[in-house]
């Protein structure tokens, strides 16, 4: 029924640009620009991989407030199936991103993000897929205790599984993570995250430690591109040279290109290159999905940089 199913958070990102750093208290600080975009790593991935042509099933717990309605409407435009979304009386989460040039503050009110539990998921719906993905592990606080058993059930149904932990707000990197590492097929961290996950000081040491447990590891290196480890083999992909407008959601957009290519059976070096292209595409507009919403711009960018899969062919399937 689906190429990929995703269960995770959805929210809106409210982005303020041009703020000073440090930010003094009790002062009215003026931003140079403002954008409201679809947020949540799970929702950004679902949106972008659906726009690229994948058949996507998405489950989330959203509030019945205006934030939730707008976020779901934005995601629904991508073609992702939202028929199993549940609503909660609680407020939908929101993230405020305060940009200071190359750095930013990220302030999140979890809202419904942390409330979704296994009882909110239609497991048979999620199993009707080739692949399952989980993002934002440390925000899924109600779901986390049941994830090991849930992952085993998915694998028993023949699905492959990918995990992007994203950041741990408490910086503990514990809980069910250790158990999940032995159950996932693909781990999708950035450089800082893989070092924290592996509890190692360097990228090389972290990859070496985790490659004994996880079959495929794709590490996002920002302006240095990406590297993929599979068993004893390593594949590096050069970055796509662009001038970034906004790097919010670039990692989730990398995941979209990488996973789509991996599910289509492309070689790992091509998967990494595809991820670099979609990650770079994301940086050309504010937020994580706006570049994908401009279909004409997206198609032109993908063709220009040699994206290995024709989105028109995928959308015709």
């Amino acid at each position: 029924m689906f190429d990929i199913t995703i269960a995770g958070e959805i929210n809106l990102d409210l982005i303020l640009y041009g703020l000073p750093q440090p930010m003094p208290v009790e002062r009215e600080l003026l931003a140079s620009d403002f954008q409201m975009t679809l947020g949540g790593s799970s929702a950004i991935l679902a949106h972008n991989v659906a726009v690229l042509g994948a058949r996507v099933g998405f489950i989330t717990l959203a509030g019945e407030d205006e934030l939730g309605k707008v976020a779901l409407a934005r995601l629904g435009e991508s073609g992702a199936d939202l028929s199993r979304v549940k609503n909660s009386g609680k407020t939908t989460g929101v993230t405020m991103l305060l940009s200071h040039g190359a750095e930013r503050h990220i302030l999140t009110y979890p809202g419904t993000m942390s409330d979704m539990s296994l009882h909110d998921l239609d497991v048979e719906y999620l199993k009707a897929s080739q692949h399952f993905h989980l993002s934002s592990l440390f925000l899924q606080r109600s779901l986390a205790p049941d994830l090991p058993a849930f992952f085993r059930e998915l694998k028993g149904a023949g699905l492959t599984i990918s995990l992007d932990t994203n950041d741990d707000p408490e910086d503990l990197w514990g809980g069910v993570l250790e158990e999940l590492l032995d159950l996932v097929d693909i781990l999708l961290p950035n450089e800082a995250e893989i070092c924290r996950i592996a509890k190692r000081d360097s990228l090389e040491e972290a990859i070496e430690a985790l490659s004994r447990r996880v079959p495929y590891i794709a590490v996002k290196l920002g302006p240095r591109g990406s590297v993929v480890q599979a068993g004893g083999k390593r594949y590096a992909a050069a970055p796509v040279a662009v001038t970034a407008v906004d790097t919010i959601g670039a990692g989730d957009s990398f995941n979209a290109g990488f996973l789509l290519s991996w599910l289509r059976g492309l070689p790992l070096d091509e998967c990494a290159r595809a991820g670099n292209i979609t990650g770079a595409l994301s940086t050309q507009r504010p937020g994580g999905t706006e570049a994908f919403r401009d279909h004409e711009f997206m198609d032109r960018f993908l063709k220009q940089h040699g994206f290995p899969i024709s989105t028109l062919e995928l959308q015709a399937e």
Side-chain angles (χ1 to χ4, degrees), residues 118-193:
L118 188 63
H119 299 294
D120 296 308
L121 306 185
D122 184 331
V123 175
E124 293 305 312
Y125 171 89
L126 295 172
K127 285 161 65 173
S129 178
Q130 290 179 252
H131 185 82
F132 176 81
H133 176 84
L134 185 84
S135 288
S136 303
L137 171 63
F138 299 103
L139 296 181
Q140 315 294 344
R141 295 180 179 177
S142 296
L143 181 61
D146 293 312
L147 283 174
F150 176 53
F151 277 20
R152 290 188 180 94
E153 183 173 354
L154 294 175
K155 292 186 78 70
L159 280 73
T160 48
I161 300 173
S162 55
L163 171 67
D164 186 345
T165 65
N166 300 102
D167 190 32
D168 179 1
E170 297 179 346
D171 203 23
L172 298 176
W173 301 89
V176 299
L177 175 59
E178 274 297 306
E179 194 171 354
L180 296 182
L181 288 174
D182 295 317
L183 297 172
V184 300
D185 299 280
I186 307 174
L187 185 65
L188 294 156
N190 63 30
E191 185 172 4
E193 290 162 355

Side-chain angles (χ1 to χ4, degrees), residues 38-100:
L38 179 64
S41 289
S42 302
I44 291 172
L45 170 60
H47 179 282
N48 293 351
V49 76
V51 170
L52 289 171
R55 297 167 297 167
V56 180
F58 184 78
I59 297 181
T60 192
L61 186 65
E64 295 181 344
D65 52 8
E66 291 304 311
L67 291 176
K69 292 175 184 176
V70 172
L72 287 171
R74 288 280 181 94
L75 179 54
E77 292 173 3
S78 71
D81 183 82
L82 305 180
S83 62
R84 299 302 192 276
V85 167
K86 284 200 169 183
N87 292 315
S88 165
K90 194 169 183 178
T91 303
T92 304
V94 65
T95 293
M96 295 286 299
L97 297 115
L98 312 180
S99 178
H100 316 286

